[in-house]
Amino acid sequence: MGHRRNSNTSRAHDSGNLSRRTLLQRAGWTVAAAAFPSGVFAAEGVSPVMAKLSAYMSEAGGRAIPDEVVEKAKHHILDTFAAMISGSDLPPARAAFQYARDFTSDKTSTVVASKMTASPPEAAFINGMLAHSDETDDSNEFSQSHPGCAVVPAALAAGEKFGIDGTRFLRAVTLGYDIGPRMTISFGAIDFRNSSHKSTHAISSVFGAAAAAGCAADLNAQQMRWLLDYTAQQSSGIGAWNRDTEHIEKAFVFAGMTARSGVTSALVVHAGFDGIDDIFSGVDNYFLAYAPNAKTEELVSQLGERYEIARTNIKKWTVGSPIQAPLDAVYDILKKHPVNPADVKSVVVRLANTEARVVDNREMPDICLQHMVSVMLLDKTASFHAAHDKARMKDPAVLAVRAKVQLVSSEELEKMEPARQAIVEITMNDGAVYSDRVTDVRGTVDNPMTREEVIQKCRDLVEPVLGKDNCTSLIDKIIGIEKVKDIRELRSVLQKA
């Protein structure tokens, strides 16, 4: 497909009548273009930010990635597949499988943890729902998003469509993490989340999924600009997902909807759709509609130097992100002191105000702080099964401990955001006080999980669903992803026998 200007731009040139706004805009772009390398300011009517961004995206499939980023990408791909597989029997996944039955005649793309296939958009949707069926998947605190649950399904579905190899798949995933989070980082993610009523998780994820799918489709720079245009038109999601009590709508907003929309953007452009050359500038542009005060330069800040996948957290515990630090703190206390829950007088957990609101006495076990702290005290750990055992929320033994757990909103910890810190203080009946403050949650960039820890988490999540042999094969395939000649080879290790 050739490099064509969209019809709106062509008509403006043909008329010979340039508005004062257009002349001023072009003058500004001429000045701004001086800050970018020669050749980046490639398309007339395209801002320097868009020119640099689309060029970077189009070149991602053939660009080598630093070894340490490759290693992190493998961890996140493996962790996301584990989230899909382990979530396959939870309510969002069951709903998605029911939906999938109308689309199984298309054999193009894999539906994970099943025997079904579907078209690329529908497979991306279903696998996204699986990936965020619970609180197992990764999260990027700087963008307030969960990249993997949309990016990996989109890269897999589009990758199977175009028969890409494992190296390109890994680079497509890495690009998705780079582009999606930078969108809401440019918005000022936390303030935007708190004031706009829109969902940073949906916005970041749809752009990440589109970038990954576009890389799999090998779109050129012009096509990447159109891909961003169609993705902007599909960008949606509001913060009301917080009121979802079954996690189904949350899975839809964070992952299913966004993975499908991202793949759709890539496929329509690949099929020949053109569009607006720069949806990020000009009249009625995306940022005017969504975040007029955004710092658009953040979209290209340190591209190729700062990889967002390396700043994305993998969860040690399969619970909501705000509960990670409290569980780390309780776990650390239990390693140092023998704590009998019957001898505990009180447990005080301090969290940032915005984090406390998300996990305070929620209906679902995996995002209910008081419940999960009680489980940790009783079990000395917090397993996937325990985090999804809703019936146990009525267990008298759990309720007896839960009555001792107090969640306190902390202004001090609010100032530490986006770092998710926690202070836990356990007071015993004999007057002893055990406390711990977690500043770097296990699995974050400052306290990363090792390859061995990520693999062990994968085994714990995948073996009960697919069996030990399939799990081992999946791990081997992802750790050696460069050896995979066609990403379709993954189907045999992602599905049930």
Side-chain angles (χ1 to χ4, degrees):
M1 187 172 180
H3 292 259
R4 294 181 289 142
R5 291 181 303 191
N6 69 66
S7 57
N8 292 337
T9 303
S10 298
R11 282 196 297 270
H13 292 172
D14 293 342
S15 70
N17 296 316
L18 298 177
S19 69
R20 181 173 181 272
R21 175 184 290 182
T22 301
L23 290 170
L24 289 172
Q25 185 182 57
R26 288 187 181 175
W29 287 342
T30 301
V31 173
F36 294 87
S38 176
V40 167
F41 194 66
E44 188 174 3
V46 173
S47 67
V49 166
M50 177 59 83
K52 184 174 183 179
L53 184 67
S54 57
Y56 182 86
M57 293 169 67
S58 69
E59 295 163 1
R63 185 172 47 242
I65 299 171
D67 290 345
E68 64 273 17
V69 179
V70 169
E71 178 70 11
K72 288 289 290 184
K74 291 176 180 180
H75 293 187
H76 285 274
I77 292 168
L78 186 61
D79 191 65
T80 304
F81 281 139
M84 292 183 207
I85 293 163
S86 63
S88 61
D89 195 37
L90 297 174
R94 292 197 294 270
F97 284 147
Q98 181 64 35
Y99 169 85
R101 290 190 174 93
D102 289 335
F103 300 94
T104 56
S105 59
D106 190 314
K107 305 300 181 184
T108 304
S109 297
T110 300
V111 175
V112 172
S114 75
K115 297 179 181 179
M116 295 185 286
T117 57
S119 68
E122 298 307 332
F125 170 78
I126 297 156
N127 291 335
M129 292 290 291
L130 267 62
H132 198 67
S133 281
D134 55 19
E135 296 295 331
T136 305
D137 55 304
D138 60 20
S139 64
N140 182 293
E141 61 195 34
F142 306 98
S143 61
Q144 295 295 291
S145 71
H146 287 234
C149 60
V151 168
V152 175
L156 177 65
E160 289 183 292
K161 166 73 173 176
F162 297 106
I164 65 174
D165 63 20
T167 297
R168 192 175 192 93
F169 173 72
L170 184 143
R171 291 173 180 174
V173 168
T174 303
L175 178 68
Y177 278 76
D178 271 340
I179 303 307
R182 275 181 168 80
M183 287 300 302
T184 48
I185 288 171
S186 78
F187 289 6
I190 294 175
D191 288 341
F192 178 84
R193 178 199 68 186
N194 294 342
S195 62
S196 72
H197 307 291
K198 295 185 175 72
S199 173
T200 55
H201 301 83
I203 294 167
S204 173
S205 291
V206 72
F207 281 97
C215 181
D218 197 18
L219 301 184
N220 63 36
Q222 173 66 86
Q223 291 172 313
M224 286 295 189
R225 292 191 279 276
W226 293 334
L227 172 134
L228 291 170
D229 177 23
Y230 284 101
T231 305
Q233 294 291 4
Q234 296 182 88
S235 175
S236 62
I238 57 177
W241 60 261
N242 267 303
R243 289 151 48 191
D244 174 24
T245 60
E246 292 294 336
H247 214 282
I248 295 176
E249 182 176 351
K250 188 168 183 277
F252 178 86
V253 172
F254 280 41
M257 170 183 75
T258 57
R260 177 173 60 190
S261 295
V263 170
T264 298
S265 292
L267 293 185
V268 298
V269 172
H270 186 270
F273 284 40
D274 62 9
I276 296 170
D277 285 340
D278 191 349
I279 194 62
F280 293 160
S281 67
V283 177
D284 296 329
N285 70 70
Y286 179 74
F287 286 96
L288 287 176
Y290 270 73
N293 297 319
K295 297 178 179 178
T296 54
E297 65 272 15
E298 289 291 340
L299 296 177
V300 293
S301 176
Q302 296 181 286
L303 274 175
E305 301 171 27
R306 188 190 81 217
Y307 291 87
E308 285 300 321
I309 200 165
R311 300 206 305 165
T312 299
N313 306 329
I314 291 179
K315 293 177 177 177
K316 176 178 176 63
W317 313 107
T318 55
V319 298
S321 293
I323 307 178
Q324 299 290 317
L327 291 188
D328 274 357
V330 177
Y331 188 73
D332 289 343
I333 290 171
L334 294 179
K335 286 193 297 185
K336 299 172 185 175
H337 308 283
V339 175
N340 184 341
D343 297 330
V344 172
K345 180 179 180 181
S346 66
V347 181
V348 177
V349 179
R350 289 181 170 82
L351 278 182
N353 300 341
T354 50
E355 304 299 329
R357 287 200 299 268
V358 175
V359 295
D360 187 15
N361 280 316
R362 294 295 299 275
E363 301 89 344
M364 294 174 282
D366 55 340
I367 57 171
C368 178
L369 178 133
Q370 291 88 343
H371 175 73
M372 290 311 305
V373 168
S374 303
V375 167
M376 175 67 80
L377 286 168
L378 288 163
D379 298 355
K380 314 306 180 190
T381 190
S383 68
F384 175 85
H385 175 75
H388 298 88
D389 186 353
K390 193 166 185 177
R392 198 176 176 192
M393 296 185 81
K394 298 179 181 180
D395 183 339
V398 175
L399 292 173
V401 179
R402 181 171 170 172
K404 304 174 184 180
V405 180
Q406 179 186 3
L407 174 58
V408 176
S409 296
S410 168
E411 287 290 346
E412 174 195 355
L413 297 182
E414 183 71 20
K415 295 174 184 177
M416 300 295 106
E417 288 272 273
R420 284 172 164 153
Q421 301 190 11
I423 302 170
V424 173
E425 185 176 273
I426 300 176
T427 302
M428 308 299 290
N429 289 330
D430 64 5
V433 178
Y434 307 131
S435 64
D436 191 76
R437 177 168 183 163
V438 170
T439 57
D440 298 313
V441 172
R442 188 64 172 167
T444 59
V445 64
D446 294 317
N447 188 14
M449 293 168 66
T450 64
R451 175 189 280 193
E452 290 69 28
E453 287 179 288
V454 174
I455 287 175
Q456 186 56 52
K457 178 185 173 184
C458 177
R459 290 192 185 281
D460 292 344
L461 297 177
V462 173
E463 285 186 5
V465 181
L466 297 185
K468 185 174 182 178
D469 290 346
N470 239 26
C471 178
T472 298
S473 296
L474 172 61
I475 292 167
D476 291 343
K477 287 278 190 185
I478 301 305
I479 296 301
I481 194 73
E482 298 91 344
K483 300 175 184 176
V484 174
K485 301 301 183 184
D486 187 327
I487 204 65
R488 298 164 183 148
E489 294 174 26
L490 295 186
R491 180 175 295 180
S492 64
V493 296
L494 288 172
Q495 290 198 314
K496 293 183 177 179

